[in-house]
Amino acid sequence: MSNDTSQLLPAVRSFLSSPKKLLIDGEWVDAKDGRTFSTVNPSTEEVLVEVAHASDVDVDRAVVAARNAFEAPSPWSKMTPRDRSHLLWRIGDLIDAHADELAQLEALDNGKRVEAARDGDVATAAELFRYFAGWATKMEGTTIPMSVPDRSFHAYTRREPIGVVAGIVPWNFPLLMACFKIVPAITAGNTVILKPAEQTPLTALRLGELLLEAGVPAGVVNVVPGFGDTGAALVDHPGVDKVAFTGSTDVGKKIAAAASSNLKKVSLELGGKAPNIIFADADIDAAIAGAVLGGYFNEGQCCVNGSRLYVQREVFDQVVEGVAAAARAITVGDGFAEGAHMGPMVSQEQHEKVLGYIRGAVEAGAVLAAGSADAPLERGYFVQPTLITSVTEDMAVQTDEIFGPVVTAIPFDTEDEVVQAANNTVYGLAAGVWSRDLGTAHRVGARLRAGTVWLNTWHADDVTLPRGGFKQSGWGRELGSFGLDDYTELKTVIAELR
């Protein structure tokens, strides 16, 4: 841990003072084989704390606990929808009460700025629990008329929980992504085994403590940190009824293949390479600001960031100059440092990957309008916000999801040309259009193959809105009322009336 702990809350220092364990069946336990791993502060490259590494044996213990908690007559199975609603609301209040603590843990483990973690990630996590608290009492079915001559039936549908859900989440929004899986799952009455990313397990473990404090029954939510072997054990386990995964498309494909062994249900929120289209008639100042936000938000480690910038030729130089100037004005630094706008990449591996893409682009003939292929600081996994021009559509920097503060800029002439280029990707998670002509904005937005399309804005969001992707950006939708569909089974019941 950093030598300067003066900014840390006493609760954070206390949390980091002892090795972290697994949460299984309402108890904090060591891994059966005693394995641990180090979680590292990416701003300082120093170890924060040791964390238990769940093996397949530990995963099995967690699945058994979750199954026992799900099956009647467990306390969870007997909890009424109203009681679940009240429980969810209590959890949201507890997250708010510990917001500063959770934000500091997120900044230490992930590297993002404390303010961004508190005002964005933690606040949204609390709101998720409160929003879904309202849905717990509204899991309704329908009655359906049947047309059978000379007989009378009463037919209706029921929404029922799927069972045991494995939630596997990434490192870019550790607390928030954990809540994306836990909240709709338990709203519907499922039980959960959460595997946080090995780079960022701390807020998931602290959330586990808060869930127990709120009164979540033992076994309803289990937390099993670990690496890919832990995730694979969850996906392969026959006692898991559904896998909910957020992460890379490559890993998503492996999960889908593995889940086919017993046809467990799968929802996937995967990679993106979002096009951000600026027409010449756009509000250029707003479009530049949106391109900066869309490209460099969350250190560029966000799957819906607008990493492919397409600008109509008449204003291309103006937009590139504006985005480059804004990128150069962004200060990178420790998430606790006053005046820092952007933190580090989450890990050494990610740091090397991002710099490698920048170097590869330069070697292929691209031009850096802002940024550098060199690390700006001696310590920490920092990357300067980078804008790359003279890019061709076949360059790796243009086709691959980099997951760092790297934006490419390409000029275009016509609407048809830019729509074809924007859709020329295996991904379809997000896209954006900037134009003062609302007809152009809506028309082009409708032609873009993406799950979320922003018009004259970027990153506008709310817990009420569904999110998910087209093509290889995933299966299913999260959040909003649609977010419950992937966590319930639809049962049809037919009764003959005699």
Side-chain angles (χ1 to χ4, degrees), residues 75 92 113 119 138 196 260 271 284 289 292-293 309 326 328 332 360 364 389 434 448 463-464:
R113 293 181 302 112
D119 300 339
K138 300 170 184 65
S260 67
I284 298 301
V292 173
L293 173 64
L309 184 60
R328 287 191 291 267
V332 298
T389 61
W434 299 80
L448 297 175
V463 296
T464 62

Side-chain angles (χ1 to χ4, degrees), residues 236-251:
D236 292 339
H237 201 292
V240 171
D241 299 301
K242 170 189 166 62
V243 177
F245 172 74
T246 297
S248 73
T249 294
D250 286 345
V251 175

Side-chain angles (χ1 to χ4, degrees), residues 131-132 135 159 184 463-467 476-488:
Y131 172 76
F132 277 96
W135 279 109
R159 282 284 181 187
V463 296
T464 62
L465 302 175
R467 63 181 70 196
R477 292 295 181 268
E478 292 188 305
L479 305 191
S481 59
F482 304 92
L484 291 170
D485 293 343
D486 284 332
Y487 291 91
T488 57

Side-chain angles (χ1 to χ4, degrees), residues 318-329:
Q318 180 183 355
V319 170
V320 166
E321 181 181 345
V323 174
R328 287 191 291 267

Side-chain angles (χ1 to χ4, degrees), residues 116 160 180 190 197 207 281 330 364 384 497:
E160 297 185 356
F180 272 27
N190 300 285
L207 176 64
D281 67 348
I330 294 173
Q384 292 176 321
L497 306 179

Side-chain angles (χ1 to χ4, degrees), residues 55-143:
S55 67
D56 55 352
V57 174
D58 301 306
V59 165
D60 185 66
R61 295 160 68 197
V63 173
V64 170
R67 176 63 60 191
N68 290 339
F70 176 74
E71 299 291 349
S74 70
W76 182 244
S77 69
K78 293 188 289 186
M79 187 176 287
T80 65
R82 182 181 62 189
D83 288 340
R84 284 206 307 276
S85 176
H86 292 176
L87 175 62
L88 290 163
W89 198 277
R90 282 200 303 276
I91 298 167
D93 286 348
L94 274 173
I95 290 174
D96 272 343
H98 295 271
D100 290 333
E101 174 190 344
L102 289 164
Q104 287 196 354
L105 285 172
E106 203 80 311
L108 287 169
D109 213 16
N110 169 275
K112 66 180 64 186
R113 293 181 302 112
V114 173
E115 297 83 0
R118 183 188 61 236
D119 300 339
D121 302 39
V122 179
T124 305
E127 191 57 31
L128 271 173
F129 278 96
R130 284 191 281 264
Y131 172 76
F132 277 96
W135 279 109
T137 55
K138 300 170 184 65
M139 307 286 290
E140 300 171 346
T142 58
T143 58

